[in-house]
Amino acid sequence: MRELYPAIEPYRQGMLKVSNLHTIYFEESGNPQGKPVVILHGGPGGGSQPLYRQYFNPDLWRIVQFDQRGCGKSTPHAELIENSTWHLVEDIETLRKYLNIDCWVVSGGSWGSTLALAYSETYPEYCQALILRGIFMVRRKELEWFYQEGAGYFFPEAWEQYVELIPIDERHDMIAAYYRRLTSDDCQVRSQAARAWSVWEASTSKLIPDLDLIARFGTEDFAEAFARLECHYFMNKGFFMSEMQLLENIDRIRHIPTTIVQGRYDVVCPMFTAWELHQAFSEAEFIVVPDAGHSMTEGGIRSALIEAGDRLVP
């Protein structure tokens, strides 16, 4: 089982204005002359984390992270206007140019895997390799599994807390019901809904629930951006022209060396999505971790991700 690389601090931090409304936070860590990798966080709305730096050898990698629109240190906080998949794809490309990077490795898990696929299919010429984890493609069956029915069978006590906020006559469409509350003019209604939405995801993210993770997701500042942005994207079907768009465009990236890492018992982004990507993209290395859920911190997933990165550097 691989351990994380030592904790490091960024050697550069900055704010990059990407529109008249939005400014994104970015940072660079590791070796300024190393192989560039951009790490795309989950959510949408999850924000970058110091821990992500520790998945790549800091002596060999130039590690780039940024907070996507509306979350983390990016401003304005929890903003839904001018916030879509394609805005984020262009932000990644704007950041690449700003940092004078010719080509980079793109790594992302959960929503980060969605964004990595969308970016690489749009700009394959700038992607040297892909490292994907916990595959998510914002399709109806994935959203209904986690937010409407399915995942609750595995975590009934957490499910009960998630649904109890919504009156019975609205529970036929939980995402829409939450969206009404997350966009309410009443800050108390928004806050209550944001916490319930976020805690549901945190409660199901690991094979063995993590009380510290649940507490962090339940904090007001994190939950507001996380829940509002996720629900906004899901109400808009990921802003894709069709829910099969990412699979239909695999030919654009078939030549890019890719590793897919998936926890067997991931209930947030269930195995069937990764399997369908594997079937469409047989050239990619496909690693199923037999004793893991969704979180990148679980031992088997952590090891597979670190080893995937190590294989890409001398």
Side-chain angles (χ1 to χ4, degrees):
M1 196 70 70
R2 291 292 301 275
E3 295 301 321
L4 294 170
Y5 284 102
I8 55 173
E9 293 299 319
Y11 62 79
R12 181 185 183 188
Q13 296 171 289
M15 302 294 291
L16 178 62
K17 194 166 184 62
V18 290
S19 78
N20 289 332
L21 177 60
H22 288 276
T23 300
I24 61 170
Y25 166 81
F26 72 90
E27 63 176 49
E28 295 185 85
S29 308
N31 181 354
Q33 306 305 317
K35 181 188 285 287
V37 56
V38 60
I39 303 172
L40 306 179
H41 67 69
S48 57
Q49 302 293 328
L51 186 72
Y52 298 168
R53 306 170 197 147
Q54 296 180 248
Y55 283 75
F56 294 89
N57 186 333
D59 295 328
L60 302 175
W61 288 94
R62 179 183 176 186
I63 304 162
V64 179
Q65 292 193 69
F66 73 100
D67 291 334
Q68 296 160 27
R69 296 188 182 200
C71 68
K73 297 177 184 177
S74 295
T75 61
H77 185 71
E79 179 59 67
L80 306 183
I81 296 171
E82 294 181 14
N83 202 330
S84 74
T85 303
W86 307 111
H87 286 107
L88 301 185
V89 164
E90 292 309 311
D91 290 350
I92 299 169
E93 183 57 11
T94 298
L95 182 60
R96 183 193 66 80
K97 293 176 181 176
Y98 181 76
L99 298 176
N100 295 312
I101 293 172
D102 293 331
C103 193
W104 52 8
V105 174
V106 181
S107 177
S110 194
W111 161 255
S113 75
T114 319
L115 190 54
L117 288 168
Y119 173 76
S120 62
E121 290 177 358
T122 306
Y123 294 106
E125 64 270 31
Y126 303 127
C127 299
Q128 195 170 42
L130 299 174
I131 302 174
L132 309 175
R133 187 266 312 166
I135 305 304
F136 179 51
M137 291 188 279
V138 204
R139 296 176 300 171
R140 180 177 177 180
K141 66 180 180 180
E142 298 169 46
L143 296 175
E144 289 190 346
W145 160 266
F146 190 64
Y147 293 104
Q148 194 62 43
E149 60 180 350
Y153 292 117
F154 293 88
F155 293 90
E157 68 280 24
W159 178 261
E160 184 174 295
Q161 294 179 40
Y162 163 69
V163 299
E164 70 179 359
L165 184 67
I166 306 301
I168 292 175
D169 62 356
E170 292 186 64
R171 291 182 187 175
H172 63 282
D173 190 339
M174 292 292 291
I175 291 177
Y178 263 95
Y179 185 74
R180 286 189 287 273
R181 288 157 179 81
L182 291 166
T183 56
S184 169
D185 292 332
D186 187 326
C187 63
Q188 186 173 355
V189 169
R190 290 198 309 272
S191 178
Q192 186 181 29
R195 185 180 185 281
W197 176 284
S198 301
V199 165
W200 162 239
E201 184 159 332
S203 299
T204 56
S205 286
K206 293 189 177 183
L207 201 58
I208 300 174
D210 182 336
L211 296 181
D212 290 337
L213 181 69
I214 294 169
R216 184 172 73 83
F217 272 51
T219 58
E220 185 170 352
D221 190 58
F222 178 89
E224 180 184 21
F226 187 74
R228 275 171 56 85
L229 289 170
E230 280 200 334
C231 202
H232 165 69
Y233 273 69
F234 301 162
M235 282 291 291
N236 287 282
K237 301 176 183 178
F239 299 92
F240 294 115
M241 294 181 66
S242 82
E243 67 171 21
M244 299 300 287
Q245 182 173 338
L246 294 176
L247 289 175
E248 289 168 349
N249 289 335
I250 286 297
D251 282 348
R252 297 182 182 180
I253 62 170
R254 204 172 290 283
H255 64 286
I256 300 174
T258 298
T259 298
I260 300 167
V261 178
Q262 178 70 33
R264 169 73 70 182
Y265 299 107
D266 186 340
V267 301
V268 180
C269 298
M271 175 77 182
F272 64 76
T273 301
W275 179 252
E276 289 169 21
L277 178 61
H278 167 59
Q279 289 181 309
F281 192 5
S282 59
E283 295 84 356
E285 179 184 22
F286 185 52
I287 300 170
V288 178
V289 181
D291 57 350
H294 181 65
S295 175
M296 67 187 293
T297 64
E298 294 179 272
I301 294 178
R302 181 187 70 232
S303 292
L305 292 175
I306 292 170
E307 288 168 1
D310 285 353
R311 288 193 293 272
L312 293 173
V313 288

